[in-house]
């Protein structure tokens, strides 16, 4: 199955060339509920975990961590895997911790970088919490990656281009449907509507800039219309526009992981741009 984002209402590279240098490629993950395997990329599925390696626990809550995401270089060559690794796994504590990187945060949210070929004896029974919080543990989903061009959110642009671009959109009554793409994605930028974007987004270990690694989102697209004449949100995949509204299948497409992020918003896991093995930071909006 492939899932396709509709064309944008405009193309900055052609229509507003001042933004062209800021274009970058992001990957919409398009998670959808399914039965992922331990060697594939997924959210909430079984991890490629060595039987001999203890399953991590949160130091604060004594709870086994929850399997959140596993991504392979075969599916996501754009991830900067440390030398000798080709799969990355995200596990976090299913209980609440302060954000983004309090003391001990490294115990609450961990990335594991592995070499798949080295994991021959797999852990088959993965520990789970007795009564997992559905907002902290994603439903098992397979991924349908789609590459898109994205532009930075206004907070990340220099003030001049940001102001001129907003005025350009307003004069034409066009939506900004090219920056800070919603839904689960790799890379790019996210919007900061609840708190201001921190003035300095930097690694606590080495002070290098942090970059958005993985965005989590309550909904994959908006339900309102964005463009003129009731044009649907471009992020509603073309293949799913025939689903009967408010049926289980429609909800599963809109909110595939079943996690409500913050108060129905989104969150970003940020990693160090110099070394992704440094402790990650998590910001919820
Ligand atoms: Zn914890
Ligand atoms: Zn660092």
């Amino acid at each position: 199955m492939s899932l396709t984002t509709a064309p944008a209402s405009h193309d900055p590279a052609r229509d507003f060339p001042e933004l062209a240098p800021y274009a970058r490629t992001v990957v919409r993950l398009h998670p959808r509920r399914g039965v992922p395997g331990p060697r594939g990329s997924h959210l909430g599925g079984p991890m490629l975990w060595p039987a001999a390696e203890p399953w991590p626990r949160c130091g604060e809550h004594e709870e086994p961590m929850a399997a959140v995401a596993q991504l392979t270089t075969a599916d996501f060559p754009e991830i900067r895997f440390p030398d000798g690794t080709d799969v990355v796994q995200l596990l976090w504590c299913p209980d609440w911790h302060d954000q983004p990187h309090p003391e001990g945060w490294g115990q609450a949210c961990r990335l594991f970088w592995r070499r798949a070929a080295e994991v021959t004896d797999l852990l088959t029974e993965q520990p789970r919490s007795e009564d997992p919080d559905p907002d902290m543990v994603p439903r098992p989903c397979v991924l349908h990656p789609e590459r898109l061009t994205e532009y930075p959110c206004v907070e990340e642009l220099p003030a001049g281009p940001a102001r001129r671009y907003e005025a350009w959109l307003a004069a034409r009554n066009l939506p900004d449907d090219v920056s800070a793409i919603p839904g689960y994605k790799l890379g790019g930028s996210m919007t900061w509507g609840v708190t201001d974007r921190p003035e300095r987004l930097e690694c606590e270990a080495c002070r290098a800039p942090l970059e958005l690694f993985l965005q989590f989102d309550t909904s994959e697209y908006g339900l309102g219309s964005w463009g003129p004449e009731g044009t649907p949100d471009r992020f509603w995949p073309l293949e799913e526009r025939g689903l009967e509204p408010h049926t289980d299948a429609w909800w599963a497409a809109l909110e595939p992981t079943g996690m409500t992020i913050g108060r129905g918003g989104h969150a970003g896991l940020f990693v160090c741009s110099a070394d992704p093995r440094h402790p990650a930071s998590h910001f919820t909006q």
Side-chain angles (χ1 to χ4, degrees):
M1 178 172 80
S2 61
L3 293 171
T4 315
T5 301
S9 60
H10 60 288
D11 175 5
R14 182 193 61 212
D15 304 325
F16 192 81
E18 195 177 353
L19 278 198
Y22 301 98
R24 55 201 178 192
T25 301
V26 301
V27 191
R28 275 191 92 179
L29 300 183
H30 289 304
R32 292 296 181 272
R33 292 174 195 175
V35 188
R39 293 200 172 267
S41 298
H42 56 72
L43 296 178
M47 293 288 180
L48 182 70
W49 200 269
E53 185 175 316
W55 189 262
R57 305 179 82 84
C58 171
E60 192 179 327
H61 297 100
E62 295 299 322
E63 265 215 83
M65 284 190 168
V68 178
Q70 175 168 285
L71 306 167
T72 69
T73 190
D75 293 325
F76 302 102
E78 44 276 280
I79 295 176
R80 291 180 300 108
F81 284 90
D83 283 350
T85 67
D86 52 17
V87 54
V88 58
Q89 299 165 324
L90 170 64
L91 289 87
W92 66 34
C93 172
D95 273 312
W96 177 253
H97 286 255
D98 288 338
Q99 301 173 38
H101 37 64
E103 208 167 319
W105 170 255
Q107 309 228 3
C109 171
R110 292 181 64 187
L111 286 169
F112 293 83
W113 302 88
R114 300 186 186 283
R115 188 174 187 84
E118 287 172 0
V119 187
T120 49
D121 196 7
L122 278 188
L123 181 69
T124 46
E125 282 284 312
Q126 295 193 2
R128 290 172 196 284
S129 331
E130 301 265 304
D131 183 20
D133 178 347
D135 289 340
M136 296 300 289
V137 182
R139 307 263 296 248
C141 287
V142 295
L143 308 179
H144 307 280
E146 178 192 23
R147 271 87 190 162
L148 292 172
T149 298
E150 185 189 87
Y151 293 84
C153 58
V154 288
E155 295 95 331
E156 276 180 51
L157 285 173
R163 198 179 54 243
R164 287 189 286 276
Y165 178 53
E166 287 188 311
W168 184 88
L169 288 172
R172 287 157 186 79
N173 195 25
L174 287 171
D176 174 5
D177 54 3
V178 297
S179 71
I181 285 172
Y184 282 80
K185 71 175 178 187
L186 280 183
S189 69
M190 70 177 209
T191 56
W192 301 83
V194 176
T195 65
D196 286 339
R197 183 172 187 265
E199 222 160 90
R200 292 195 312 198
L201 267 176
E202 58 186 29
C203 171
E204 62 171 307
C206 75
R207 301 292 160 208
L210 293 175
E211 56 189 19
L212 180 60
F213 178 62
L214 182 56
Q215 173 173 273
F216 303 81
D217 209 337
T218 302
S219 305
E220 286 294 301
Y221 50 88
L223 297 177
S225 60
W226 275 36
E229 294 160 23
T231 318
D233 185 329
R234 75 172 282 224
F235 300 105
W236 186 7
L238 297 176
E239 292 82 358
E240 294 177 332
R241 295 189 179 189
L243 291 174
E244 187 72 31
H246 307 291
T247 57
D248 289 349
W250 182 89
W251 278 112
L254 179 66
E255 300 180 355
T257 68
M259 291 197 292
T260 299
I261 314 293
R263 294 181 179 171
H266 57 273
L269 183 75
F270 288 73
V271 301
C272 173
S273 55
D275 187 341
R277 290 166 295 192
H278 288 171
S281 295
H282 193 259
F283 297 89
T284 301
Q285 288 293 297

